[in-house]
Amino acid sequence: MKSGLKSAVFEKFVKIACCIINPSIENWRNNGGRVIGYTCSFVPEELFVAAGLTPFRIRGTGSDQSAGMADDYFEAANICSFVRHCFNKILLGEYNFLDGAVIGGGCDANRHIMDNWQKSPAKPPFLHRLLFPHSSGELMANYFCNQLADIKGKLEEHFDVQITDRKLWDAIKFCNEIRDLQKELYAFRKAENPPITGAETVPVIVAGYSMPKEEYSSDIKTLLDELRSVSAPNSKHRVRLMIVGPGHDDSSMCDIVEDLGGLVVADLTCFGGKVIFGEIKENGLDPLQAIANYQVLDRPFCPKNLGAHPHIHKEIFDKIHDFKVDGVIGQNFLCCETWGGELYILNKELKEAGIPMLRIEREYVADSTGQLTTRVQAFIETISGGTL
Amino acid sequence: MLAGKALGGLCLDPQNASPGPFVLGNGDFFIEIPVAYGCSYSDITLTGANGTAMPDASDLIDKAIETGVESRMCTAIKVACYYLEAGLVRKPDLIITSNSCCDAMDTLGNLLNGYKPWADVPKFIMDAPHSFDEESYKYMGKQLRHAVTFMEDVFGRKMDWDRLREVCVLSNKQDQLLLEFQELKKAVPCPANPDLSRLGFAYDRWTGERVSPQITDWLEQLVSATEERVKAKLGIEGVNEKVRFLWQDLAGSWPPGTLWPRLQQELGAIAIMDYMSYCTLTPIDLTSEEAMFTSFGKRFLLEDPMNRQALHTTDFFCNDILQIVKDFKCDAVIMPAHIGHRDTNSRLKIVRDMCREKDIPCLVLGIDIWDKRYMPPDVVFDRISTFFQTTGLV
């Protein structure tokens, strides 16, 4: 990733995002802190923060193209490469620093990380599943609340902590503040010449999942101050694009776009916009219910959720308007039916609205960058009406 | 003769099967409800699966691939997506969707719910949790109860609760007969084509005659005829039984008609069980409305084939394998590992390791159970044959 940002804190974020274990986590652990891993954005970090644990979102950063050992457990031709690469890193021992993990049931393959991890030599001392409803409604929110209460009990027992309502409300407030800071970061990208590119935004967001929250909060505030004082050079970008789809824990797609004269100004992705653009209401009696209501009823929806599409449609069209998006890149990993279906529907709707969309099915580890580059280049040329 | 009757029922287009309102879903629904209510219910996934058995299946599948929802999605669901997008499905009066039993069904549900020509069709959405405890049964049961209320509001008439109880009593009787036939299959040699379990289940749940007295007659004849064969120690006609194997997946559209008969005839190998054939149905509890719907919920999550195997943990999946191998005296386990099944393809190592530990020969294939072009039947037969030979089973 080429970057024009001259910022020590940004460089720190880049270093954290491009590996799994990082100095911030090591420092935290050396001082007696504990870390809990999780998959899927529907696992609420607030629960871990309230328990005094640092949440760490599992990703496959740095995994080999073949996903090596994980292909024994997950059939390579038929399982999403994101899951396989995450599990590969687990089997390689790179997540051995975790004191436990909670596996979210976001999709069929993700769900089975739990079963396979349990049977593997890398099994952590605490490993549980959190089941998410696949639809919205009060009944579903209440069911999810019960699941949260169950996980809360297990965390308290295993880690010998008390997760009080007060601690949960404090954690909710704190995580909401972090989301607000991240929204501020995204807001910079509404400008004609943003001081931060799409490729630069990715490590800032990914670092937020990979280091102690207080440290991240302080660091992102520093970065935001720096960005406010930057007079952004005239960007040579020709089109403003939005990325929609799963993952987005690395900047490879943004790099391709931005090397070709595009600028990624927004996203609705599992590591980015789907998590940031929401807020847990801090005005209830029961914090677990507040979290459950947010996850099931309020937050930017996921296509795993039946009936989510109208909400996703609105999110995307609102972002297209707010960020002055010229075109959308919809990317899903091969074997991801949930996003595959969503992008299929979205493609039709964007076409009807006259908004160009490029649909890409790819592997998590971007091995065919040549093909991707060609397709993105053609897309940008089509939108900008000329050759690069 | 019995198989022919069931197959005839299956060929009947369920979309036109019954009078009354037409309810369309993306997967199984608690079928006693529409039967009692007097409306037809069609599962578009089943329509897609049936499409892959048609003479023009290859063309159909190719068109489904061109539809472009997701390139590696299950073929049956791709075909269902194609039918929908091509406007080949009759407009329903109500749509009921759930995420069971897999992500692809979820996707199909989203397509159904978002299908613009049907924007005015009322929709009811359910969540099938990936667990099977009392809380989950009640949760699922409540949703099924709400589905009834929704139907009443949409169609403007109330459910006849006495009729629902009658249908449940009939359903309980039929399920009991399916279980009896299943018990008889434990005999060595297997007294009847084990595929009659699958056909019986399908006939009972998916055809225009679903949960009707005709089904009870059919099942009673099946059980009675099979009991006689057990007493006479007869096996399947024309088959010299040598190997009993568990086909741990759905049967698919081409294996039962192409592969399994050849395995029977040439190797004496019979597919004693598959997902659909494995009956674990417990009686619907009719003691109260809440108990009824809780047992509906339990059936949906735990006992409905494919939901049972796909929604839950690998430990649960493996326990089923061990139980079936033991109860039905299986000599081997064959995992078709259908390419569209994300859950199965996430479990292969654990299953292989378990089988090795328990000394159960296990073969993993990696086929498309709906599109025989992916791995042709001859190739599959050769692989199975080699497997049986190398493990000393034939």
Side-chain angles (χ1 to χ4, degrees), chain B residues 6 16 29 32 48 57 63 73-74 110-111 135-136 157 177 194 199 222 237 254 257 287 321 364 366 388:
Chain B
N16 294 315
F29 182 60
E32 287 75 359
K63 283 181 185 150
M73 180 187 265
C74 171
N110 276 329
L111 256 66
E135 187 196 354
S136 302
R157 63 179 169 87
L177 288 165
L199 288 174
L222 177 69
E237 272 182 40
W254 59 268
T287 52
I321 292 175
V364 175
F388 286 154

mmCIF file of all heavy atoms in Angstrom, chain B residues 6 16 29 32 48 57 63 73-74 110-111 135-136 157 177 194 199 222 237 254 257 287 321 364 366 388:
data_model
loop_
_atom_site.group_PDB
_atom_site.id
_atom_site.type_symbol
_atom_site.label_atom_id
_atom_site.label_comp_id
_atom_site.label_asym_id
_atom_site.label_seq_id
_atom_site.Cartn_x
_atom_site.Cartn_y
_atom_site.Cartn_z
ATOM 1 N N ALA B 6 -45.499 -44.005 -5.097
ATOM 2 C CA ALA B 6 -44.869 -42.860 -4.418
ATOM 3 C C ALA B 6 -44.225 -41.939 -5.441
ATOM 4 O O ALA B 6 -44.345 -40.722 -5.374
ATOM 5 C CB ALA B 6 -43.842 -43.344 -3.404
ATOM 6 N N ASN B 16 -49.514 -27.072 -7.950
ATOM 7 C CA ASN B 16 -50.911 -27.110 -8.388
ATOM 8 C C ASN B 16 -51.707 -28.157 -7.640
ATOM 9 O O ASN B 16 -52.808 -28.489 -8.020
ATOM 10 C CB ASN B 16 -50.954 -27.445 -9.884
ATOM 11 C CG ASN B 16 -50.332 -26.333 -10.698
ATOM 12 O OD1 ASN B 16 -50.611 -25.174 -10.457
ATOM 13 N ND2 ASN B 16 -49.491 -26.688 -11.642
ATOM 14 N N PHE B 29 -41.565 -26.737 5.768
ATOM 15 C CA PHE B 29 -42.392 -26.025 6.735
ATOM 16 C C PHE B 29 -43.128 -27.109 7.492
ATOM 17 O O PHE B 29 -43.190 -28.245 7.049
ATOM 18 C CB PHE B 29 -43.351 -25.091 5.985
ATOM 19 C CG PHE B 29 -44.240 -24.265 6.879
ATOM 20 C CD1 PHE B 29 -43.700 -23.388 7.799
ATOM 21 C CD2 PHE B 29 -45.615 -24.367 6.779
ATOM 22 C CE1 PHE B 29 -44.511 -22.634 8.630
ATOM 23 C CE2 PHE B 29 -46.432 -23.605 7.605
ATOM 24 C CZ PHE B 29 -45.878 -22.742 8.524
ATOM 25 N N GLU B 32 -48.137 -30.057 8.516
ATOM 26 C CA GLU B 32 -49.458 -30.293 9.090
ATOM 27 C C GLU B 32 -50.281 -29.001 9.118
ATOM 28 O O GLU B 32 -51.506 -29.028 9.035
ATOM 29 C CB GLU B 32 -49.312 -30.852 10.510
ATOM 30 C CG GLU B 32 -48.828 -32.308 10.582
ATOM 31 C CD GLU B 32 -47.350 -32.495 10.280
ATOM 32 O OE1 GLU B 32 -46.660 -31.492 9.982
ATOM 33 O OE2 GLU B 32 -46.874 -33.642 10.359
ATOM 34 N N GLY B 48 -36.743 -26.951 -7.362
ATOM 35 C CA GLY B 48 -35.428 -26.899 -8.018
ATOM 36 C C GLY B 48 -34.772 -28.268 -8.068
ATOM 37 O O GLY B 48 -34.231 -28.686 -9.094
ATOM 38 N N ALA B 57 -32.422 -31.780 -17.659
ATOM 39 C CA ALA B 57 -31.750 -31.215 -16.488
ATOM 40 C C ALA B 57 -30.479 -30.455 -16.852
ATOM 41 O O ALA B 57 -30.198 -29.403 -16.281
ATOM 42 C CB ALA B 57 -31.431 -32.314 -15.469
ATOM 43 N N LYS B 63 -28.691 -23.063 -17.505
ATOM 44 C CA LYS B 63 -29.400 -21.774 -17.408
ATOM 45 C C LYS B 63 -29.314 -21.233 -15.979
ATOM 46 O O LYS B 63 -29.178 -20.028 -15.753
ATOM 47 C CB LYS B 63 -30.872 -21.944 -17.787
ATOM 48 C CG LYS B 63 -31.114 -22.055 -19.266
ATOM 49 C CD LYS B 63 -32.598 -22.204 -19.569
ATOM 50 C CE LYS B 63 -32.790 -22.432 -21.060
ATOM 51 N NZ LYS B 63 -33.955 -23.236 -21.373
ATOM 52 N N MET B 73 -22.808 -22.288 -5.585
ATOM 53 C CA MET B 73 -23.982 -22.604 -4.778
ATOM 54 C C MET B 73 -24.508 -23.987 -5.169
ATOM 55 O O MET B 73 -24.318 -24.438 -6.294
ATOM 56 C CB MET B 73 -25.034 -21.531 -5.090
ATOM 57 C CG MET B 73 -26.324 -21.675 -4.356
ATOM 58 S SD MET B 73 -27.517 -20.493 -4.969
ATOM 59 C CE MET B 73 -27.287 -19.205 -3.801
ATOM 60 N N CYS B 74 -25.189 -24.614 -4.239
ATOM 61 C CA CYS B 74 -25.839 -25.902 -4.487
ATOM 62 C C CYS B 74 -26.672 -25.838 -5.771
ATOM 63 O O CYS B 74 -27.450 -24.907 -5.972
ATOM 64 C CB CYS B 74 -26.733 -26.222 -3.292
ATOM 65 S SG CYS B 74 -27.815 -27.636 -3.537
ATOM 66 N N ASN B 110 -33.898 -14.835 0.614
ATOM 67 C CA ASN B 110 -33.747 -13.405 0.358
ATOM 68 C C ASN B 110 -34.214 -13.051 -1.051
ATOM 69 O O ASN B 110 -34.826 -12.003 -1.277
ATOM 70 C CB ASN B 110 -32.294 -12.980 0.564
ATOM 71 C CG ASN B 110 -31.977 -12.689 2.024
ATOM 72 O OD1 ASN B 110 -32.840 -12.245 2.786
ATOM 73 N ND2 ASN B 110 -30.751 -12.944 2.431
ATOM 74 N N LEU B 111 -33.913 -13.935 -1.991
ATOM 75 C CA LEU B 111 -34.369 -13.689 -3.365
ATOM 76 C C LEU B 111 -35.896 -13.702 -3.435
ATOM 77 O O LEU B 111 -36.512 -12.857 -4.089
ATOM 78 C CB LEU B 111 -33.820 -14.766 -4.306
ATOM 79 C CG LEU B 111 -32.654 -14.355 -5.201
ATOM 80 C CD1 LEU B 111 -31.422 -14.054 -4.412
ATOM 81 C CD2 LEU B 111 -32.336 -15.436 -6.211
ATOM 82 N N GLU B 135 -35.335 -24.584 25.089
ATOM 83 C CA GLU B 135 -35.545 -23.161 24.785
ATOM 84 C C GLU B 135 -35.679 -22.954 23.272
ATOM 85 O O GLU B 135 -36.528 -22.188 22.821
ATOM 86 C CB GLU B 135 -34.375 -22.325 25.322
ATOM 87 C CG GLU B 135 -34.622 -20.817 25.192
ATOM 88 C CD GLU B 135 -33.367 -19.965 25.340
ATOM 89 O OE1 GLU B 135 -32.284 -20.511 25.659
ATOM 90 O OE2 GLU B 135 -33.462 -18.744 25.135
ATOM 91 N N SER B 136 -34.843 -23.652 22.517
ATOM 92 C CA SER B 136 -34.887 -23.509 21.055
ATOM 93 C C SER B 136 -36.171 -24.079 20.484
ATOM 94 O O SER B 136 -36.734 -23.522 19.542
ATOM 95 C CB SER B 136 -33.693 -24.216 20.418
ATOM 96 O OG SER B 136 -32.500 -23.681 20.919
ATOM 97 N N ARG B 157 -59.403 -16.056 7.576
ATOM 98 C CA ARG B 157 -60.181 -17.091 8.250
ATOM 99 C C ARG B 157 -59.306 -17.801 9.260
ATOM 100 O O ARG B 157 -58.092 -17.843 9.117
ATOM 101 C CB ARG B 157 -60.793 -18.100 7.263
ATOM 102 C CG ARG B 157 -59.820 -18.902 6.462
ATOM 103 C CD ARG B 157 -60.567 -19.876 5.544
ATOM 104 N NE ARG B 157 -59.666 -20.465 4.578
ATOM 105 C CZ ARG B 157 -58.939 -21.571 4.789
ATOM 106 N NH1 ARG B 157 -59.036 -22.217 5.940
ATOM 107 N NH2 ARG B 157 -58.133 -22.039 3.857
ATOM 108 N N LEU B 177 -45.529 -45.499 11.355
ATOM 109 C CA LEU B 177 -45.364 -46.521 10.313
ATOM 110 C C LEU B 177 -43.994 -46.398 9.637
ATOM 111 O O LEU B 177 -43.344 -47.411 9.344
ATOM 112 C CB LEU B 177 -46.487 -46.400 9.270
ATOM 113 C CG LEU B 177 -47.858 -46.847 9.764
ATOM 114 C CD1 LEU B 177 -48.973 -46.356 8.835
ATOM 115 C CD2 LEU B 177 -47.926 -48.374 9.880
ATOM 116 N N PRO B 194 -34.280 -50.195 0.675
ATOM 117 C CA PRO B 194 -34.281 -49.197 1.750
ATOM 118 C C PRO B 194 -34.686 -47.811 1.261
ATOM 119 O O PRO B 194 -35.097 -46.970 2.053
ATOM 120 C CB PRO B 194 -32.831 -49.202 2.247
ATOM 121 C CG PRO B 194 -32.030 -49.880 1.203
ATOM 122 C CD PRO B 194 -32.936 -50.768 0.453
ATOM 123 N N LEU B 199 -38.606 -42.509 -0.111
ATOM 124 C CA LEU B 199 -39.785 -42.263 -0.942
ATOM 125 C C LEU B 199 -41.017 -42.084 -0.073
ATOM 126 O O LEU B 199 -41.868 -41.231 -0.341
ATOM 127 C CB LEU B 199 -39.994 -43.422 -1.921
ATOM 128 C CG LEU B 199 -38.990 -43.494 -3.070
ATOM 129 C CD1 LEU B 199 -39.218 -44.758 -3.883
ATOM 130 C CD2 LEU B 199 -39.084 -42.261 -3.953
ATOM 131 N N LEU B 222 -46.795 -51.124 2.973
ATOM 132 C CA LEU B 222 -45.334 -51.258 2.947
ATOM 133 C C LEU B 222 -44.858 -52.058 4.158
ATOM 134 O O LEU B 222 -44.059 -53.001 4.042
ATOM 135 C CB LEU B 222 -44.696 -49.863 2.925
ATOM 136 C CG LEU B 222 -43.166 -49.823 2.979
ATOM 137 C CD1 LEU B 222 -42.584 -50.359 1.686
ATOM 138 C CD2 LEU B 222 -42.662 -48.391 3.205
ATOM 139 N N GLU B 237 -35.366 -58.247 -3.714
ATOM 140 C CA GLU B 237 -35.466 -59.165 -4.852
ATOM 141 C C GLU B 237 -34.350 -58.933 -5.847
ATOM 142 O O GLU B 237 -34.101 -57.793 -6.271
ATOM 143 C CB GLU B 237 -36.808 -58.979 -5.553
ATOM 144 C CG GLU B 237 -37.866 -59.862 -4.926
ATOM 145 C CD GLU B 237 -39.192 -59.739 -5.627
ATOM 146 O OE1 GLU B 237 -39.201 -59.664 -6.867
ATOM 147 O OE2 GLU B 237 -40.213 -59.701 -4.917
ATOM 148 N N TRP B 254 -29.815 -37.993 -9.078
ATOM 149 C CA TRP B 254 -29.398 -39.095 -9.958
ATOM 150 C C TRP B 254 -28.896 -40.346 -9.235
ATOM 151 O O TRP B 254 -29.046 -41.462 -9.758
ATOM 152 C CB TRP B 254 -28.344 -38.608 -10.984
ATOM 153 C CG TRP B 254 -27.080 -38.043 -10.391
ATOM 154 C CD1 TRP B 254 -26.818 -36.750 -10.097
ATOM 155 C CD2 TRP B 254 -25.917 -38.780 -10.002
ATOM 156 N NE1 TRP B 254 -25.568 -36.624 -9.545
ATOM 157 C CE2 TRP B 254 -24.990 -37.851 -9.482
ATOM 158 C CE3 TRP B 254 -25.560 -40.137 -10.047
ATOM 159 C CZ2 TRP B 254 -23.745 -38.220 -9.003
ATOM 160 C CZ3 TRP B 254 -24.314 -40.524 -9.565
ATOM 161 C CH2 TRP B 254 -23.413 -39.569 -9.038
ATOM 162 N N GLY B 257 -31.449 -43.423 -8.844
ATOM 163 C CA GLY B 257 -31.910 -44.101 -10.059
ATOM 164 C C GLY B 257 -30.783 -44.715 -10.877
ATOM 165 O O GLY B 257 -30.991 -45.633 -11.660
ATOM 166 N N THR B 287 -51.180 -32.448 23.949
ATOM 167 C CA THR B 287 -51.810 -32.187 25.252
ATOM 168 C C THR B 287 -52.261 -30.742 25.411
ATOM 169 O O THR B 287 -53.178 -30.464 26.167
ATOM 170 C CB THR B 287 -50.853 -32.565 26.411
ATOM 171 O OG1 THR B 287 -49.598 -31.912 26.197
ATOM 172 C CG2 THR B 287 -50.638 -34.058 26.487
ATOM 173 N N ILE B 321 -24.024 -40.784 12.823
ATOM 174 C CA ILE B 321 -23.319 -41.771 11.990
ATOM 175 C C ILE B 321 -23.076 -43.037 12.798
ATOM 176 O O ILE B 321 -23.372 -44.163 12.361
ATOM 177 C CB ILE B 321 -21.976 -41.211 11.466
ATOM 178 C CG1 ILE B 321 -22.226 -40.089 10.459
ATOM 179 C CG2 ILE B 321 -21.124 -42.318 10.840
ATOM 180 C CD1 ILE B 321 -20.963 -39.394 9.974
ATOM 181 N N VAL B 364 -14.897 -40.587 1.152
ATOM 182 C CA VAL B 364 -15.410 -39.246 0.855
ATOM 183 C C VAL B 364 -15.315 -39.029 -0.652
ATOM 184 O O VAL B 364 -14.256 -39.247 -1.237
ATOM 185 C CB VAL B 364 -14.587 -38.175 1.600
ATOM 186 C CG1 VAL B 364 -15.037 -36.777 1.190
ATOM 187 C CG2 VAL B 364 -14.712 -38.354 3.108
ATOM 188 N N GLY B 366 -17.034 -36.192 -2.888
ATOM 189 C CA GLY B 366 -16.976 -34.841 -3.461
ATOM 190 C C GLY B 366 -17.727 -34.750 -4.779
ATOM 191 O O GLY B 366 -17.181 -34.339 -5.795
ATOM 192 N N PHE B 388 -14.618 -50.533 -1.846
ATOM 193 C CA PHE B 388 -15.108 -51.775 -1.260
ATOM 194 C C PHE B 388 -14.067 -52.881 -1.406
ATOM 195 O O PHE B 388 -13.895 -53.714 -0.513
ATOM 196 C CB PHE B 388 -16.426 -52.213 -1.906
ATOM 197 C CG PHE B 388 -17.622 -51.404 -1.495
ATOM 198 C CD1 PHE B 388 -18.725 -51.291 -2.335
ATOM 199 C CD2 PHE B 388 -17.683 -50.749 -0.269
ATOM 200 C CE1 PHE B 388 -19.850 -50.552 -1.971
ATOM 201 C CE2 PHE B 388 -18.794 -50.003 0.100
ATOM 202 C CZ PHE B 388 -19.883 -49.904 -0.745
#
